[in-house]
Structures are given as C-alpha cells and as structure tokens.
Amino acid sequence: MSADSTYGTVGRRMRVVANYVEFEKFGEGEIFQYDIELQPATGEFKKLPAPAFMRAVFDQCQRLHRQSRLGNVHMVYDARKIAYAPRRVCGPTETLRLEVSYAEDGRAATYVVQIREAAVVDGSVLRRFIGGERGVDIADIQPALNALDLAIGSVAHQDMVGFGRSFFTRAQSMQTAGGLELWRGFSLSVRPGTERLYLNVNTAVTAMYAPGPLLDALVQVLGVRDASQLRGRLDQRGVRDMAAYLRGLALYLRHRGIAGKRKFAVKGVTAAALDRESFEWEDPSRPGQAEPITVAEYYARRYNITLRYAFLPGLVGRRNAIFPIELCEIADNQRFRGKLDERQTADMVRFACQRPSDNRSRIGDVLQQLDLGASPVVRAFGMALGTRLAEVETRVLPAPTVNYGRASRDAALTPASGAWNMRDKCVSTPGAPLEHWAVLVLARQADVQQHRVQAFVSMLVDTCNRTGYAIRAPRPPITYGNLAADVSREMRRACDAIRLPPGRPPQLLLVVLQSTNALVYQSVKNCAYTTLGIHTQCMQAKHLQRPSPQYCANLCLKINAKLGGTNQGLTPSHLQRLVRGKPTLFLGCDVTHPAPGELHKPSIASVVGSTDYMGLRYAATLIQLPSRQELVAKLQEAVVRHLKLFYKGTRTKPRHVIFYRDGVSETQFAQVRDRELIEIQRACSSVEPGYKPEITFVAVLKRHNTRFFPLGRDGDRTGNCVPGTVVDRAITMPLLFDFYLFSHAAIQGTS
C-alpha cells in the first residue's frame, strides 16, 4: 500500500491529529543485544525478583561501572534477561562480570551481573521496513523496536512506576473500593508507519494496591465497618475474595520482635485461624523439646505479642512461614492484576474518561514533562523526535442505508452521526410469536413490588406488538426467586409456573436481576443453555421503577433475534457491493482467556457464522483450548459445520468466505493467519474436493493505543471524529493492508 493509487478513495477527505510524534532521525547502525544474568554474589534466586528490583540493581551497576568497565556506553534493560546497547561493551565471545552492592529496606547485599553478547541487531532494517521493502516482516524489526522502546522508556522510569510500556504515578490518583487506588499515567511505543517512524503516546489508567496496613485493606475488600466484623465474613466466599486480593501481593512484616521490616510475597492463606493453626516448635529456652503450638501462642511466647485478631487465617509465605494479617503492611507501587468489581469498574470508567481535547492536552503535557530530546540515553541510540503531534489525512465514508420492516413509517433510513432509534420502526422479520414465557425476579419482593413488574411487562408487551413482534401472552406468570437458593432450582420453578405439557420448554424466561453481579448472571446463562435449553432475557431491576419505551424497544430487539427474527438489514445493493455479488459466509472468531490468577481454567474459542444471504442470522460453535492458547485448534471442524449450516439456510455453497479474527496482536498476525487460513481451506476441500471459495482474512484489533483528534469543528458532539472516519495512510504499515475505522459514535471519552 505504499503507492498512493492503492489507497481508498471513497468518502470526504479531511485531516485529523493522531497521538503520534514523528522521529526526525533514528539510529540505522548496529544495536548490540546482550543476555543478562543477575544473581546474588552467594547462592542464587529461586525465581526472578520483581522487575523493579532487577532494574534498580542493574541501574546501580551501570552508575558504578559505566565510566570504567562499560566504556561509557549507555545500556537499556528489560528488567528480566535482555539488554541493548548502541555500542559494544564486551567482545562477542566474552562474558563481562560486574559486582554491585545494592540496599533494599535497609538490607545491603552484593550482586553479580554477567553480560554476554547474544546478537547484533541491524538497525537499518527499520528503514527498509517503513520504506516498503518486500521480504522484511514485522517480526524482523521487533528486536530494533524493542531496543528503541527500552531507550525511550528509560526516561520515564526515572520518575514513574513502569509496567511494560506503560508508566504511572500516584501524583494523579484516586481511592476506589476494595483496598485499591486508581493511578493515571501514559504509554509509550515506537511504531512503524509508511516512510516514517513514530512514537505513539497515549494516556493510561491502572488499578494499584493502596499501601498501608493490610487489615484496613481487608476491611474494605470484605465490606465491613471495622476489623472486629471480619469474623462474620469468613465464609467460603469471604475467604475466596480475601485470597484473590492477596494472591502474589508483596507485604512488609513489621513488629517489635524484628529489626526494621521484612518483605515477603503471599503464596496463600491458612485453612484454619491463627488460634487453631498449629505446628511443632522448639522453645530456645528449652532446646531439644519440641511441642505443638498455635501461631497465636507462638507470637505471644516468642515476641510477647498478643494478637487481637487471632480468629483470622494466617498468610503463607516462603518456606511455608505463617504471618499474622494484623502485623503486615502492603508494600508500595504494586499493580492489581485481578478483576475489578462493579463499583471499581464504574470508578475506573469515570476516572479514565476524558474529552478528546483534554486527552490531547494531557499527551502534550507528557511530552513536555519527558523532554526526550535532553536524554543522553535517547541521543546515544541516535534518536531525535519532533515536538508536535502528527496530522494525517482521513476519509469519512458515506453511511449505509438501513432497512426496517415495511410497516415502519420510515422503512429505510440513513443514520446521522452514527446513531438512530426505534421510534416508528418495525422489525424487519418477526420471530416466532411469544406464547409461552414467564418472569423470574431474583430480588426481594420488598424492593421490587409485583405491581411494578406487571406494569413493566405491560409496557414491554405493548412496545413489542407495536414494533412488529407479536407477544400473544400479555400476562405471563411472575415468580420471585430465593436469592439464597440454587439459581437453577428457581429457574425451573419459574418455568413450571407456565404449566406446559411435560417435555415442552418455555420459549423465554425474562429474568429480573437485583444488580449486575457477574456470578448471578453467569449462573442464569449457564443453567439456561446447558441444563434447561431455553432462551433467557436478563434485565436490571432498576429499569422497573420508571419503564422507558426506548428501553423496552431495545429488549424487543434482543427477544426478537433470540426467537428467530431479524431486526434490520442493509439495503441489498449495499451488501452486494461489499461481497461483490457472491453468496458470502461471514465468520467471526475470538478466544476468551481466563482471568489473571486463574491458572487451571481453559481458554474458550467461539466461532460464529452466518446462515443466510444477508448476514442477519448466525449460529455459534464453542471450542475448548488449553489455558491461554491463542491458536484455535479444531477450527477446521467448526468451519465445516458453518459451511453446512449456510448451505442448509440458503441451498447454495458460499463462493466467498469473510473471516473476522479478533484478539490477535500484530506480532502474532502472520502465524495465526497462515495457520487458520490453512484450516479454513482444508474445511472447504473436506466438504467437496476442489471446492475453493475466495477467502478474506480480516484481523480486528480493539485494544490499541492509537487515538485521533478532529481539527476545528470537524468532530461530533463529543469532540471525537465522526462515525465512518477511516485512516489508511501515514501511520499505517507499509505492506499490511491495515486501517483504522470509527465504526460507530462514541458515547464518552476519546475514540
């Protein structure tokens, strides 16, 4: 795509600002890559310490030896095992052994840093890649990009806490629930463009553990008023929540029986309370006489400390040592990697949400604060950057026409600003009429009165009927579920209230939830799809207070789709232009990985495929994968199933397959594309020898750090670029057909 004639031409041209700064120059000579081994002078680490510690020791080593043993060469280190230098610091076959003393928490120790040359990186490969030279892949430039990333990041590391390419500070933070803080920061990443190299700078937010007494944090985590009430929260769920918060957490043990403070990482919690957890102990005053003793008794006799909260479990550290929670403090600068709860997520959204103009100003402040041009490390690697964010050319594509049912007042509409509503619209094709359904309220009847539920159901029925989807049972039975009981049992009870013949399931169960609690929602869906075999529509109880026709219309669209209907579609001429007039199977694939800390749960791949000509009806296939595996095994079997379902729905084989693949990073793209493209081709040939439809493989990335800011008054009402904006030049790759698309309007924040 380096030739201008290969770029897209449709749409209104305009210019926007990207959060990219162009490199005025960058080193194109050799970059030397080194293997780093950092160990104590005596003994060895059983596992690598935290990156912050490794980086601190290495930086101390550089300060001590740069002028002498390192030949005045600046090195940049990834805080694990790799470092880069712009000049050679030792011979190709030599091992440079350096000693350094480093003190942490008042304890000094001597460490040995061994440096061995691992590779020589050709810096000119960057120039060849951005120039569009064939045969140079993104994997070829990754070592050079890593070196420049580390050099740029070394500037931010001086004053901020870094995690990978992101850097944060408590100077801009807020408290949230559950013993956490939210910190502002930014990310820095060197990015290749077309004929240019850029530095991508974006704002970032992360959750951090709030430092201080661990007991205070657990009071917040378990939602009690003070530590004395923790006794009532030590049920299975409470202990699980506590363990999830503590997993991998670094703590300081402080009490008068030890000098200074001792740092340790939490491996787990004891099964019993400290006043019941016992072990064999030999009293120093009576050597040779071991006796069983509880942890609480041990601290009383050994350190003369009476534990106030001995009913709590203990913390298990290295070598299975047990420490009381009340004597521990949370160490500073630790990132929380668990899953945020509902309140924390809401705080995170509010804290992170910034208008585009504010975001752009913040990025400018970051660049001014870093002052990268003054860094001797940046200069040593031959880099110089501009001072302004890059302007790039964009196009705004015309909006497609959306078709609704013929009974609509406006059956065809062209969306304005990427949004429209269902006022005076009817669904395109109604699903099966709703005759057998029920309502299950998973909330206290005192909070959700039956007359409010009935009023909402009446509005929902009226809205659905006016929207073209028929509900023939206007007064479904309403059942209140016991919140403390098994969800599946309550769902069966609600289904039984319909009084259907044995073996005939209801068409739909409308489930009213007290909140957005993920565990309850997952239990409802799991029971519905794996046990009962019914459709469910969940909603929050708060929407019953003041029933909204717009909300009911949104529910109607979901219910209609679940019962086999279609809500809207593209004008056939628009769709035919997209698929070039060929019967086309649309496939989508994504892999969901377990949450951080869930080491033994599998990853789940989902493949969805269209079953009609218009791409309006879909079927889904799930595939279980080993934990955290991105490549989809058994993709061939899934594609065969969807080819047959498409044929069943259309009585023709697709002549074109469009495969949308989510969740693949740029470095994984070639591997995933080549592997999964072969799987799709094998699926086609297994259906019929010689069957070779056209295949379009599209990788879709949502979690990137590229942002765009409209100039003047070219933005929408939120200050973002208007929907339909597409960027396919300058900051995009020279040989990948990649582009950025604003596919819909932003509700808040920066797109």
Side-chain angles (χ1 to χ4, degrees):
M1 284 182 60
S2 56
D4 188 65
S5 59
T6 62
Y7 290 113
T9 58
V10 175
R12 173 171 56 90
R13 291 180 181 269
M14 57 186 288
R15 295 186 70 79
V16 299
V17 173
N19 60 338
Y20 282 61
V21 180
E22 185 179 343
F23 279 83
E24 294 176 348
K25 68 173 184 175
F26 55 91
E28 299 183 44
E30 293 178 331
I31 300 173
F32 297 90
Q33 179 178 325
Y34 293 93
D35 284 339
I36 305 297
E37 184 177 346
L38 194 159
Q39 293 288 349
T42 57
E44 61 180 21
F45 295 124
K46 291 190 175 179
K47 69 174 185 177
L48 284 180
F53 175 84
M54 300 284 282
R55 183 176 290 107
V57 175
F58 190 84
D59 288 348
Q60 177 79 344
C61 180
Q62 283 206 84
R63 284 190 291 270
L64 183 64
H65 297 287
R66 180 179 293 126
Q67 300 295 333
S68 54
R69 305 286 302 281
L70 293 176
N72 202 27
V73 176
H74 290 277
M75 301 185 73
V76 291
Y77 176 47
D78 72 351
R80 306 322 283 160
K81 290 182 174 294
I82 297 175
Y84 297 93
R87 302 202 314 271
R88 207 169 237 132
V89 298
C90 61
T93 60
E94 179 186 356
T95 297
L96 192 60
R97 188 177 187 276
L98 307 174
E99 286 195 0
V100 59
S101 177
Y102 178 74
E104 184 185 41
D105 301 329
R107 290 184 174 89
T110 301
Y111 300 92
V112 174
V113 178
Q114 295 191 88
I115 303 174
R116 286 184 291 270
E117 187 174 302
V120 179
V121 178
D122 181 6
S124 68
V125 72
L126 281 173
R127 178 68 65 187
R128 304 204 310 271
F129 181 84
I130 64 178
E133 182 178 313
R134 298 283 176 182
V136 182
D137 192 67
I138 191 168
D140 300 324
I141 66 170
Q142 205 59 50
L145 290 178
N146 290 341
L148 300 189
D149 276 332
L150 288 174
I152 295 283
S154 68
V155 181
H157 271 298
Q158 295 173 11
D159 302 310
M160 308 187 78
V161 180
F163 305 100
R165 296 186 180 95
S166 298
F167 306 88
F168 303 92
T169 174
R170 181 180 280 118
Q172 299 183 38
S173 64
M174 69 166 280
Q175 294 283 334
T176 186
L180 301 181
E181 297 175 338
L182 303 178
W183 288 19
R184 287 196 197 280
F186 52 85
S187 65
L188 302 170
S189 178
V190 179
R191 300 277 304 166
T194 301
E195 302 287 354
R196 298 173 179 86
L197 193 67
Y198 294 97
L199 177 66
N200 172 237
V201 187
N202 194 29
T203 56
V205 173
T206 193
M208 304 284 288
Y209 287 96
L214 177 59
L215 199 62
D216 293 348
L218 292 181
V219 166
Q220 293 188 47
V221 170
L222 298 181
V224 295
R225 192 173 65 249
D226 55 53
S228 63
Q229 295 183 335
L230 289 172
R231 188 191 300 270
R233 285 300 320 275
L234 296 180
D235 54 6
Q236 184 177 2
R237 179 178 174 182
V239 172
R240 185 184 66 230
D241 291 345
M242 182 190 301
Y245 177 81
L246 293 170
R247 188 179 296 114
L249 184 61
L251 300 172
Y252 287 122
L253 180 67
R254 295 175 186 250
H255 61 78
R256 58 181 176 269
I258 60 173
K261 53 186 181 180
R262 183 181 305 162
K263 195 174 186 178
F264 71 97
V266 179
K267 291 171 56 179
V269 297
T270 59
L274 294 176
D275 55 8
R276 287 180 287 129
E277 186 76 29
S278 62
F279 63 99
E280 292 289 321
W281 180 58
E282 186 178 302
D283 192 329
S285 63
R286 290 182 291 176
Q289 298 183 26
E291 59 179 308
I293 188 174
T294 67
V295 176
E297 291 170 342
Y298 168 79
Y299 272 85
R301 290 172 56 179
R302 182 75 175 84
Y303 299 114
N304 197 27
I305 295 175
T306 301
L307 299 179
R308 296 180 59 192
Y309 306 100
F311 59 83
L312 292 173
L315 304 177
V316 181
R318 193 161 59 106
R319 297 176 182 171
N320 293 323
I322 300 173
F323 306 104
I325 288 172
E326 63 192 83
L327 301 182
C328 295
E329 291 189 3
I330 300 172
D332 205 356
N333 297 339
Q334 296 186 82
R335 195 177 196 178
F336 178 72
R337 299 186 179 276
K339 187 174 181 180
L340 300 180
D341 64 24
E342 183 180 344
R343 180 179 168 186
Q344 292 165 342
T345 301
D347 285 345
M348 174 71 85
V349 171
R350 282 194 297 271
F351 188 63
C353 183
Q354 297 185 85
R355 288 183 58 82
S357 57
D358 296 334
N359 211 1
R360 181 178 173 182
S361 297
R362 168 69 178 141
I363 290 171
D365 294 341
V366 167
L367 290 170
Q368 188 173 5
Q369 171 192 343
L370 290 174
D371 192 14
L372 295 170
S375 167
V377 178
V378 172
R379 292 200 300 266
F381 278 84
M383 292 183 284
L385 287 103
T387 57
R388 300 179 57 188
L389 297 180
E391 284 189 21
V392 296
E393 186 175 300
T394 70
R395 294 174 292 116
V396 180
L397 304 178
T401 300
V402 179
N403 286 348
Y404 279 93
R406 294 180 180 177
S408 306
R409 178 177 295 180
D410 297 311
L413 66 91
T414 301
S417 301
W420 68 98
N421 59 43
M422 283 293 294
R423 188 176 298 116
D424 300 323
K425 306 291 189 303
C426 291
V427 296
S428 179
T429 307
L434 192 54
E435 298 175 331
H436 309 294
W437 64 302
V439 179
L440 172 62
V441 183
L442 291 177
R444 295 190 312 138
Q445 190 164 357
D447 298 329
V448 182
Q449 296 90 350
Q450 185 161 346
H451 72 275
R452 290 191 181 277
V453 180
Q454 189 58 61
F456 179 85
V457 168
S458 297
M459 178 175 284
L460 177 63
V461 170
D462 180 62
T463 302
C464 287
N465 287 327
R466 284 189 291 104
T467 309
Y469 175 67
I471 296 183
R472 295 177 180 170
R475 296 184 67 85
I478 299 171
T479 303
Y480 282 83
N482 183 350
L483 296 176
D486 179 49
V487 169
S488 60
R489 190 186 73 183
E490 301 305 289
M491 291 176 67
R492 285 191 180 90
R493 199 160 60 84
C495 293
D496 291 342
I498 307 176
R499 301 186 184 282
L500 286 170
R504 183 175 178 181
Q507 294 170 283
L508 180 79
L509 190 61
L510 179 66
V511 183
V512 180
L513 302 175
Q514 184 75 55
S515 66
T516 57
N517 184 295
L519 291 176
V520 177
Y521 178 81
Q522 290 167 4
S523 297
V524 169
K525 292 299 182 181
N526 184 56
C527 175
Y529 292 134
T530 64
T531 305
L532 300 180
I534 62 172
H535 290 295
T536 57
Q537 180 58 56
C538 294
M539 61 171 289
Q540 291 185 51
K542 66 180 183 181
H543 294 293
L544 300 176
Q545 302 303 318
R546 293 182 179 178
S548 159
Q550 184 64 47
Y551 181 77
C552 290
N554 290 339
L555 281 189
C556 172
L557 298 182
K558 296 179 180 182
I559 294 170
N560 183 53
K562 290 174 181 177
L563 272 296
T566 57
N567 297 320
Q568 67 273 318
L570 292 176
T571 299
S573 59
H574 280 140
L575 183 64
Q576 291 307 307
R577 199 156 53 237
L578 172 67
V579 300
R580 301 195 297 277
K582 299 176 181 178
T584 299
L585 168 64
F586 294 96
L587 290 172
C589 178
D590 193 12
V591 180
T592 300
H593 300 292
E598 296 179 339
L599 304 178
H600 305 295
K601 289 189 176 181
S603 293
I604 302 295
S606 172
V607 181
V608 297
S610 57
T611 60
D612 66 341
Y613 284 119
M614 297 298 293
L616 298 176
R617 290 191 173 94
Y618 285 80
T621 303
L622 297 180
I623 305 169
Q624 182 171 309
L625 302 174
S627 184
R628 309 208 168 277
Q629 177 177 306
E630 187 62 42
L631 288 171
V632 180
K634 300 182 180 178
L635 179 61
Q636 178 181 339
E637 298 174 22
V639 174
V640 167
R641 176 173 181 263
H642 288 289
L643 288 169
K644 292 179 178 179
L645 289 172
F646 183 89
Y647 183 84
K648 182 179 179 181
T650 63
R651 308 311 300 172
T652 186
K653 296 191 298 292
R655 292 170 54 200
H656 187 195
V657 175
I658 300 181
F659 186 77
Y660 291 97
R661 181 63 157 88
D662 195 8
V664 180
S665 67
E666 290 167 340
T667 55
Q668 295 174 307
F669 173 66
Q671 178 190 13
V672 172
R673 176 200 60 198
D674 295 344
R675 167 77 177 273
E676 295 182 356
L677 198 56
I678 291 173
E679 292 285 298
I680 298 170
Q681 291 169 336
R682 286 175 176 169
C684 294
S685 60
S686 71
V687 169
E688 181 181 291
Y691 173 47
K692 295 181 178 180
E694 293 180 5
I695 301 173
T696 302
F697 191 104
V698 183
V700 184
L701 283 78
K702 302 185 296 295
R703 294 182 179 89
H704 56 78
N705 285 310
T706 299
R707 301 292 183 269
F708 298 101
F709 310 102
L711 293 169
R713 298 184 176 181
D714 287 337
D716 63 9
R717 61 182 179 82
T718 67
N720 281 292
C721 296
V722 296
T725 299
V726 62
V727 180
D728 60 2
R729 62 193 70 204
I731 64 167
T732 55
M733 301 280 186
L735 292 177
L736 288 178
F737 286 84
D738 60 329
F739 59 91
Y740 295 91
L741 174 66
F742 287 76
S743 55
H744 58 83
I747 299 175
Q748 60 182 354
T750 304
S751 296

